[in-house]
Amino acid sequence: MKTLKFAVLPGDGIGPEVMEVTLNLLSIVGERYGFALDYTEGDVGGIGIDNHGQALPDSTLELCRNADAILFGSVGGPKWESLPPKEQPERAALLPIRKAFSLYANIRPGLLYAELNDASPLKAERIPEGIDIVCIRELTGGIYFGQPKETTTLPSGEKRAIDTMVYTTGEIERIAQVAIDTALTRGKRVCSVDKANVLETSVLWREVVTAYFKKHAPEIELSHMYVDNAAMQLARDPNQFDVLFTENMFGDILSDEMGVICGSLGMLASASLGAEKNTLDLPFGLYEPSGGTAPDIAGQGIANPCAQILSAALMLRYSFGENEAADAIEAAVRKAVTSGTRTGDIAFGLPSVGTKAMGEAVLQQLQA
Ligand code: IPM
Ligand code: MG
């Protein structure tokens, strides 16, 4: 039997609760689709700081290095909020792990089922069919990582801070390929978002993307949009997009906007694919829910596990090639939710269930 070897990093807040439900579900899915799980858990985020003095402990990095994928929960919480920004769990865990595994391609599906369109802050009549788009964000370049990045004190005593936005042709081309691959499985339309009316990096981005698509994917309809307009268009008519494709910081902002118009962060998964292949010759990747640690409801057993479950489905698809199992999980989540089993974040007047019962409802749909 095929064995899936992955690292499990539940993190903080609701992370461990939704992870437990997800791992149970995965092992049953494995029995059905013919794979076994071989996973090792590690500390990350606040619990990493508490237990090892580091948000991304060396021991955790090591176990990720020995795995074919990382299933990630979420990190952070009030306990660590007074730390300096650089040491806070989110930044001190996520940025180095992205760098360590060259996780350059962030894929965030923006999916809102039609039945849940009340959950969106957009008027239901604007999205009668729900929302179905995907954001491809470059994740290891741009202003997040460019050097110099520093704060200095000028002779006058005034302080001066610099971040550097930088992209190379190669970085743009490899993420363009991910946008192409994604569009080919969907509506074959890509909107590349930049700020080419102001930024040098965006002028290069647009040039390279245009040439790359022309050469490698002439069948894809490519358009370009400035980021300020894209932010407006996303709120006006999200389904005008199929694949929204952009650099690191613009993607950070637009993917959160996409998350909020899709209703509940409790439903949104993400994949961050690496430049390296795993032992199965598939992309090594990190899979995490788009929402946070939800400290306000942590420990109560009421968090929505769907985003974590859907992230596990992405892991099966991208890092393990288990497409059938991934499709089945996604369909089961959809059926469970649309047939009325809902956690509080998506209940809207319907009676709501807890984390475990939500997981069981998904399982029942899988077995139906
Ligand atoms: C995200 C987060 C991170 C980012 C933070 C926590 C460093 O907002 O994954 O979108 O900015 O990339
Ligand atoms: Mg963000």
Side-chain angles (χ1 to χ4, degrees):
M1 190 168 6
K2 179 169 166 188
T3 300
L4 316 191
K5 196 165 169 18
F6 56 100
V8 171
L9 313 185
D12 310 313
I14 61 167
E17 299 166 43
V18 294
M19 188 65 86
E20 191 191 329
V21 167
T22 302
L23 291 171
N24 279 338
L25 186 103
L26 268 186
S27 68
I28 296 168
V29 171
E31 284 167 19
R32 175 146 182 186
Y33 288 88
F35 57 80
L37 310 182
D38 172 11
Y39 59 84
T40 315
E41 294 202 23
D43 288 339
V44 74
I47 190 161
I49 296 176
D50 290 355
N51 292 346
H52 314 261
Q54 282 176 300
L56 183 61
D58 297 336
S59 54
T60 298
L61 258 179
E62 193 50 34
L63 74 92
C64 294
R65 287 208 176 91
N66 290 319
D68 285 321
I70 304 168
L71 188 59
F72 197 93
S74 39
V75 294
K79 186 170 176 197
W80 306 280
E81 257 165 29
S82 51
L83 290 172
K86 267 188 192 166
E87 291 168 31
Q88 287 184 15
E90 295 89 334
R91 184 163 158 193
L94 282 171
L95 298 190
I97 209 168
R98 287 173 189 167
K99 222 24 185 193
F101 296 101
S102 304
L103 303 172
Y104 71 96
N106 184 230
I107 305 176
R108 295 191 190 186
L111 185 62
L112 172 68
Y113 312 141
E115 293 85 347
L116 280 188
N117 68 2
D118 271 349
S120 175
L122 299 187
K123 289 197 181 82
E125 67 253 30
R126 293 205 165 196
I127 43 169
E129 315 278 291
I131 298 173
D132 185 1
I133 57 181
V134 56
C135 180
I136 305 293
R137 165 187 175 194
E138 200 291 326
L139 203 59
T140 49
I143 200 165
Y144 271 57
F145 293 98
Q147 293 295 335
K149 186 181 198 65
E150 63 191 12
T151 307
T152 48
T153 306
L154 300 174
S156 64
E158 198 182 6
K159 280 192 171 177
R160 178 170 183 263
I162 305 181
D163 292 288
T164 305
M165 192 155 182
V166 51
Y167 272 106
T168 61
T169 307
E171 285 176 305
I172 300 169
E173 287 180 340
R174 69 177 179 177
I175 190 74
Q177 185 60 52
V178 177
I180 290 170
D181 293 341
T182 308
L184 287 174
T185 66
R186 302 174 41 95
K188 299 194 174 54
R189 289 185 298 121
V190 172
C191 179
S192 172
V193 174
D194 62 40
K195 188 70 185 169
N197 51 349
V198 177
L199 301 177
E200 283 293 313
T201 42
S202 282
V203 172
L204 181 68
W205 179 278
R206 195 175 278 218
E207 253 174 50
V208 171
V209 167
T210 304
Y212 193 87
F213 273 66
K214 193 168 171 201
K215 180 158 178 212
H216 298 278
E219 71 275 37
I220 293 200
E221 185 189 317
L222 172 69
S223 58
H224 302 274
M225 198 179 275
Y226 296 138
V227 63
D228 47 351
N229 187 26
M232 286 198 299
Q233 295 301 328
L234 198 51
R236 206 180 58 80
D237 176 18
N239 289 316
Q240 72 182 275
F241 301 109
D242 175 30
V243 176
L244 200 56
F245 163 49
T246 191
E247 66 87 46
N248 203 345
M249 185 169 65
F250 299 160
D252 179 44
I253 299 167
L254 291 177
S255 63
D256 262 26
E257 185 184 348
M258 186 185 75
V260 78
I261 62 174
C262 286
S264 173
L265 286 176
M267 296 301 296
L268 296 180
S270 82
S272 301
L273 305 185
E276 305 289 320
K277 294 277 199 271
N278 64 21
T279 62
L280 303 162
D281 207 28
L282 290 165
F284 181 90
L286 177 149
Y287 302 87
E288 66 175 318
S290 292
T293 52
D296 51 322
I297 58 163
Q300 298 177 31
I302 58 171
N304 187 347
C306 291
Q308 189 75 61
I309 293 172
L310 292 168
S311 300
L314 294 179
M315 175 177 82
L316 294 183
R317 179 174 297 125
Y318 290 115
S319 286
F320 294 111
E322 293 288 340
N323 294 326
E324 233 182 286
D327 292 346
I329 293 175
E330 286 168 353
V333 169
R334 183 174 206 137
K335 269 195 219 132
V337 167
T338 56
S339 64
T341 307
R342 306 208 183 151
T343 43
D345 55 321
I346 50 173
F348 307 106
L350 290 175
S352 62
V353 303
T355 309
K356 290 212 163 100
M358 189 71 234
E360 271 151 30
V362 174
L363 199 56
Q364 255 174 32
Q365 293 296 344
L366 259 166
Q367 288 163 335

